[in-house]
Amino acid sequence: MQSFVTLFDLRIFKCLVIYENKICFMFVVQNRQLMKRRNFLKSGAALATLAALPTALQASKNNDSKQSLSFAMLTDVHIFPGEVPEKGFAAALQSIAQHPAKPSFIVNGGDAILDSLDNTEEAIAAQWQKWHQIVAQNTNLPFLHCLGNHDVYGWTNKNEAVKNRADYGKKRFLNELKLQQTYAHTQKGNWHFIVLDSIHPHPKGFEARLDENQFQWLSETLAKIPQNEYVILVSHVPLLSAVYRNVFEGKESELFTDLTDRILAHRDVWRIKELISKHKNIKICLSGHLHLQEEIKYLHTSYINCGAVSGNWWKGALQEFAPAYFVFNLADDGTFNYEVVNY
Ligand SMILES: [Zn+2]
C-alpha cells in the first residue's frame, strides 16, 4: 500500500511542474479521495471485495471507494423435482458463488417452489425438499426471503381438510424457511432492506396489496430511518409496473383485465406511491412475479422487476427474457448499479 501512495505523490509532483494552478488543484482533490480510499481499504474484507471487482464494474463507478455492498436477487425459482429445474437452480447458485462482485447475501424474491396454492402435500413436500437440498449443496450465503403467491399453502385447494392443517396458508412458508413473519426489516451497512408481503386472500385466490397492519408497520419503519441511509423495498408482486398487462400474451378480454389488475401488480399502488414520495431515501423497489424484466424511474425511486431464475417455468425464455438472476452493487452514498446474469 505504501508504494501505491508514493506513486501517487509522484504524480502530484509532476503535475505541479507541468500544468497550471487550476489543473494542480484538481489533482489535490483526487489525493484527498485517495486518502479516503486508503481508510476504506484498511478493512481486509473491503480489500478483497475491491480486488475481485471486474474492471468494467469498477469503471462504471466514479469512485470505487463508494462501493460497499453487493447482493444477488434471485426470484421465481419455482423449483420442483426434475432434471431441468434442479440443474438450473444449482447452476444459478454456483454462478452467484463465482460472480466477481462477490455478493454477500441473496434476496429470494418469492415463488421459491413450483406451487403450493393447489397441490398435494406429497408434491409440495418434494418441492421444498429440493429447495433445501440444492441451496445446501450450492451456497453458503445467507438469504432474505420474500413470500410469493405460489409459496402459500392451499388457498385454492378445494379439499376442505387442507384448511385445517397447522401449516395452511403462509405458515408452511414460514416453517420451511424458519421465519417469524412474512415481512421484515434488515439493515446491511448504509442500506435498509424492507421485505414486504404482497399476497392477501381474495374469493378467487389472492390479490396483491399490503394489509392495514403491514402498511402501518411500513410507515413507522420508514419514519425511523435517517435520510442519509438508503432503502430497498422488496415485494414479490411489483408495487408499480408498466408491463404487467403483457404477461398473458395477446389476451385482452375483460377476464384477463380483471385478473391482471388483481394479481399482477399492487392494487394499492396509489397509497404506496404517496408513502414513498415522502421518503426520498427509498432508492429501489425490487420485485419478481412477472417473469419479465422492467425498470421504471418514477420520482426518486427505481422500480426494478427482475426476470425469473426459471424463465418460462423451466421451459426456456418467457417472451424476450431468458432465465436470469440479478447482481446489485450498492454504494454508501445511495447510488447503485446492477447486472442481469443469464447464468
Ligand atoms: Zn408469483
Side-chain angles (χ1 to χ4, degrees):
M1 189 54 65
Q2 188 57 44
S3 62
F4 182 40
V5 174
T6 305
L7 177 67
F8 193 87
D9 288 343
L10 282 174
R11 284 179 63 194
I12 289 287
F13 176 73
K14 281 179 186 172
C15 294
L16 285 169
V17 173
I18 297 168
Y19 295 107
E20 296 174 9
N21 285 344
K22 193 175 175 186
I23 302 296
C24 289
F25 177 71
M26 190 178 82
F27 276 88
V28 169
V29 170
Q30 281 192 340
N31 190 18
R32 286 177 185 155
Q33 287 177 345
L34 183 70
M35 295 311 289
K36 281 187 201 166
R37 187 171 187 269
R38 282 184 65 204
N39 291 335
F40 181 74
L41 290 175
K42 281 176 185 167
S43 151
L47 181 61
T49 304
L50 279 171
L53 281 172
T55 311
L57 217 79
Q58 292 193 36
S60 71
K61 301 179 180 314
N62 293 328
N63 177 355
D64 62 9
S65 69
K66 295 191 299 184
Q67 171 80 31
S68 66
L69 190 63
S70 293
F71 72 93
M73 169 75 172
L74 183 153
T75 187
D76 297 270
V77 174
H78 287 293
I79 192 68
F80 63 95
E83 189 179 351
V84 172
E86 288 178 39
K87 282 189 173 168
F89 185 27
L93 292 173
Q94 287 162 16
S95 173
I96 290 169
Q98 291 160 10
H99 194 280
K102 296 209 179 303
S104 59
F105 63 100
I106 296 172
V107 175
N108 159 28
D111 284 358
I113 58 169
L114 180 65
D115 177 68
S116 57
L117 275 171
D118 186 11
N119 226 324
T120 64
E121 166 56 27
E122 189 183 19
I124 294 164
Q127 292 166 24
W128 280 117
Q129 193 272 333
K130 283 297 166 196
W131 173 274
H132 297 308
Q133 178 194 331
I134 295 167
V135 166
Q137 289 173 349
N138 294 285
T139 185
N140 294 318
L141 296 178
F143 276 78
L144 294 181
H145 293 289
C146 181
L147 174 82
N149 50 304
H150 289 284
D151 302 320
V152 176
Y153 194 122
W155 276 3
T156 54
N157 194 321
K158 300 277 192 298
N159 182 351
E160 283 299 312
V162 169
K163 293 189 175 61
N164 296 321
R165 290 182 59 100
D167 56 359
Y168 178 70
K170 300 175 184 178
K171 195 72 171 62
R172 180 60 169 270
F173 167 85
L174 296 175
N175 291 350
E176 293 284 350
L177 299 174
K178 297 184 170 50
L179 303 171
Q180 296 301 311
Q181 57 183 28
T182 54
Y183 50 94
H185 167 216
T186 309
Q187 185 168 4
K188 305 258 188 195
N190 208 35
W191 289 77
H192 295 255
F193 289 76
I194 300 180
V195 176
L196 300 172
D197 173 0
S198 304
I199 315 300
H200 295 281
H202 182 276
K204 293 180 184 172
F206 80 96
E207 62 181 349
R209 60 180 172 82
L210 303 180
D211 61 17
E212 285 304 315
N213 285 345
Q214 190 181 176
F215 187 82
Q216 194 60 36
W217 170 85
L218 174 61
S219 305
E220 290 166 6
T221 302
L222 288 170
K224 290 179 201 153
I225 297 175
Q227 281 304 300
N228 61 352
E229 296 176 2
Y230 303 99
V231 180
I232 296 179
L233 303 182
V234 182
S235 59
H236 179 62
V237 179
L239 301 178
L240 179 71
S241 174
V243 300
Y244 70 102
R245 284 167 183 268
N246 291 0
V247 171
F248 296 123
E249 300 169 49
K251 297 190 174 71
E252 293 172 356
S253 70
E254 271 187 38
L255 170 69
F256 282 100
T257 305
D258 170 64
L259 197 61
T260 52
D261 286 348
R262 176 163 57 80
I263 73 168
L264 293 185
H266 263 249
R267 306 191 86 171
D268 50 354
V269 57
W270 175 261
R271 183 160 82 152
I272 289 171
K273 187 278 293 182
E274 289 287 282
L275 180 62
I276 290 175
S277 72
K278 292 180 197 142
H279 297 278
K280 303 282 186 286
N281 55 350
I282 301 177
K283 295 292 183 182
I284 309 172
C285 293
L286 278 183
S287 57
H289 190 49
L290 305 183
H291 296 221
L292 307 177
Q293 294 168 24
E294 171 188 41
E295 178 177 354
I296 300 173
K297 184 75 192 292
Y298 186 58
L299 301 173
H300 51 274
T301 305
S302 294
Y303 296 79
I304 302 170
N305 196 77
C306 299
V309 170
S310 65
N312 186 9
W313 290 266
W314 298 111
K315 295 186 185 114
L318 180 71
Q319 300 174 34
E320 296 86 353
F321 301 105
Y325 69 88
F326 285 47
V327 171
F328 285 81
N329 304 294
L330 310 175
D332 279 343
D333 66 355
T335 58
F336 67 92
N337 63 23
Y338 67 92
E339 179 190 345
V340 182
V341 184
N342 295 118
Y343 61 89

